[in-house]
Amino acid sequence: MSHYEERLERDLSQIKQQTALLAGLVEKALDNAVHALLADDDRLAYATVLADNRINAVSNELDRMRMAFIGVHLPTGSHLRLMAAVVHTNVALERIGDYAVTICREAVQIALPQGILEREIELMASESRQMLKQAVEAFVEGNADKAKATMVIADQVERTFDMAFSDLVGEGEHFNVKDLFAYLTVFNSLERVSDQAKNICEDTLFAVTGQAKGPKFFRILFVDEDNSLLGPIAEAIARKNFPEVGEYHSRGRTAGVADPQSIALLQELGIDLGNHRPQAIPAHHRELGTFQIIVSLQGPVKSYVEQIPFHTVALDWEVTQPDSAQPDLRILSREIALQVSNLMTILRGQEAN
């Protein structure tokens, strides 16, 4: 190995060590923040807030080392990708340190969490910390497989947040407004930890393989009164025309009966509902929480879903309602197809079309 190669490897090693140092400080801050909240330890909370200055200093030094590496080595290829990933990872870790500070500041203001609230904070904190630890390990090791496996945990953290949010709203009458918003801030901070950990995993994949962050994949639910016509048409059109944008489902307030004649007419228009079996909307909040978007084709979404999950977007489409036994399915399907296309453009831009 030449002298230049030795220096390159040494500088890379130092940057990874600095990243690991920063990550260790951030992980400790997060652990302390959660412990201070659950143990009602104001002294630890304030100490963690002050310790954030150390995190900021280490973050600044990491940025200086990265800039020096670029200036000395003029990296290309994988080394250049790694430096770009270091930028984003540094920002992600520094922000997680800020989330720990936020939790501490709330911890000294609110009552000690008990019962289901305490258990949900412990669960969400455990999932987020596990994800952060694995994400950092994947980055420092340059392990793309570990990064991919770790990203999956983010979905579980999001489900836990939705469950906690639902329970918190349900118990809202037992809290004053100040505490209610404070606990929501705590849960949001813990969820944001998993979001930043996922970002670190995506940067690891980019640094190691050159794989850029892919477009988001959406789970979309179409709802109507009986799931026999409008919702299934929207589901079929979306699945046929935009398979790369999302995963599509349809449900009804009740499970009606599909009309064989309408199915035959739609088949002639290229809309296949031959295998569709009407289904009712799931009653369980957690299942609904797996959908990023719920679209109603008959009335407002809130008339179907009593409590819309925190991470779900509800859309009410204005679709001409069939008022006869034999509606003009050509006009109806064209109208729904236009609405579906407009939604996909919003989600993916012109590349969706």
Side-chain angles (χ1 to χ4, degrees):
M1 182 180 293
S2 68
H3 175 71
Y4 170 76
E5 290 172 330
E6 289 179 355
R7 181 175 180 181
L8 179 94
E9 291 302 318
R10 184 185 70 241
D11 291 348
L12 281 174
S13 177
Q14 290 176 347
I15 287 175
K16 290 183 178 181
Q17 289 174 15
Q18 187 75 4
T19 303
L21 171 62
L22 175 60
L25 293 172
V26 169
E27 289 175 22
K28 182 179 180 181
L30 187 60
D31 287 344
N32 287 344
V34 173
H35 181 76
L37 174 65
L38 296 177
D40 197 23
D41 189 338
D42 288 1
R43 179 178 297 180
L44 179 60
Y46 285 126
T48 303
V49 171
L50 292 178
D52 189 55
N53 291 288
R54 170 68 172 153
I55 290 175
N56 292 336
V58 173
S59 174
N60 290 337
E61 176 60 15
L62 176 57
D63 195 50
R64 186 201 65 77
M65 294 170 66
R66 176 191 61 83
M67 292 295 293
F69 182 91
I70 294 174
V72 170
H73 300 287
L74 300 176
T76 60
S78 62
H79 290 151
L80 183 59
R81 293 200 307 270
L82 178 59
M83 290 303 103
V86 168
V87 174
H88 297 150
T89 297
N90 191 5
V91 171
L93 291 171
E94 195 271 336
R95 286 178 178 171
I96 293 173
D98 290 341
Y99 302 147
V101 168
T102 296
I103 293 172
C104 287
R105 293 195 185 281
E106 297 293 358
V108 299
Q109 300 291 330
I110 56 180
L112 182 68
Q114 297 178 343
I116 189 171
L117 191 60
E118 179 183 13
R119 292 192 295 273
E120 287 176 341
I121 289 174
E122 289 177 338
L123 175 60
M124 196 164 181
S126 175
E127 292 171 346
S128 296
R129 286 182 292 187
Q130 176 192 0
M131 189 172 178
L132 173 60
K133 186 176 187 306
Q134 291 180 197
V136 171
E137 289 175 352
F139 183 83
V140 174
E141 296 168 6
N143 190 327
D145 291 335
K146 180 178 287 189
K148 288 180 180 178
T150 301
M151 290 167 64
V152 177
I153 303 176
D155 293 333
Q156 178 57 47
V157 176
E158 189 169 292
R159 287 192 291 271
T160 302
F161 178 92
D162 286 337
M163 178 178 65
F165 177 79
S166 177
D167 291 337
L168 193 59
V169 171
E171 296 291 324
E173 61 185 29
H174 301 300
F175 297 98
N176 59 48
V177 173
K178 177 183 176 183
D179 284 354
L180 188 64
F181 276 96
Y183 282 121
L184 180 58
T185 298
V186 169
F187 281 117
N188 184 63
S189 296
L190 291 172
E191 191 213 11
R192 292 295 295 149
V193 170
S194 74
D195 291 339
Q196 297 295 348
K198 185 176 181 180
N199 290 340
I200 294 173
C201 290
E202 290 171 343
D203 284 317
T204 300
L205 287 175
F206 175 70
V208 175
T209 68
Q211 176 184 331
K213 180 178 180 179
K216 187 173 182 179
F217 193 77
F218 298 87
R219 295 191 81 241
I220 300 175
L221 176 65
F222 298 100
V223 297
D224 61 18
E225 286 296 331
D226 62 7
N227 194 225
S228 66
L229 185 64
L230 300 180
I233 289 176
E235 176 189 355
I237 289 173
R239 183 176 291 130
K240 177 182 178 181
N241 296 341
F242 305 97
E244 302 300 322
V245 177
E247 175 185 320
Y248 311 101
H249 301 266
S250 66
R251 298 288 188 272
R253 192 186 307 278
T254 60
V257 178
D259 175 34
Q261 186 173 358
S262 295
I263 291 177
L265 290 173
L266 288 168
Q267 183 73 44
E268 295 177 6
L269 298 174
I271 301 173
D272 185 6
L273 300 186
N275 295 321
H276 175 72
R277 299 294 179 269
Q279 299 181 58
I281 297 171
H284 205 291
H285 174 84
R286 294 183 190 177
E287 184 176 351
L288 288 172
T290 65
F291 294 99
Q292 284 95 0
I293 302 172
I294 299 179
V295 179
S296 171
L297 294 97
Q298 283 183 296
V301 173
K302 288 185 177 180
S303 70
Y304 297 92
V305 182
E306 182 177 352
Q307 183 178 322
I308 297 172
F310 185 85
H311 290 96
T312 301
V313 173
L315 301 176
D316 302 330
W317 282 0
E318 294 184 3
V319 176
T320 302
Q321 302 303 315
D323 55 3
S324 66
Q326 292 297 327
D328 190 328
L329 296 180
R330 185 181 299 276
I331 295 176
L332 187 63
S333 60
R334 186 182 300 126
E335 185 177 349
I336 293 174
L338 178 60
Q339 295 270 33
V340 169
S341 179
N342 289 339
L343 174 60
M344 299 305 150
T345 300
I346 292 172
L347 298 180
R348 286 283 185 88
Q350 293 301 322
E351 66 182 57
N353 296 305

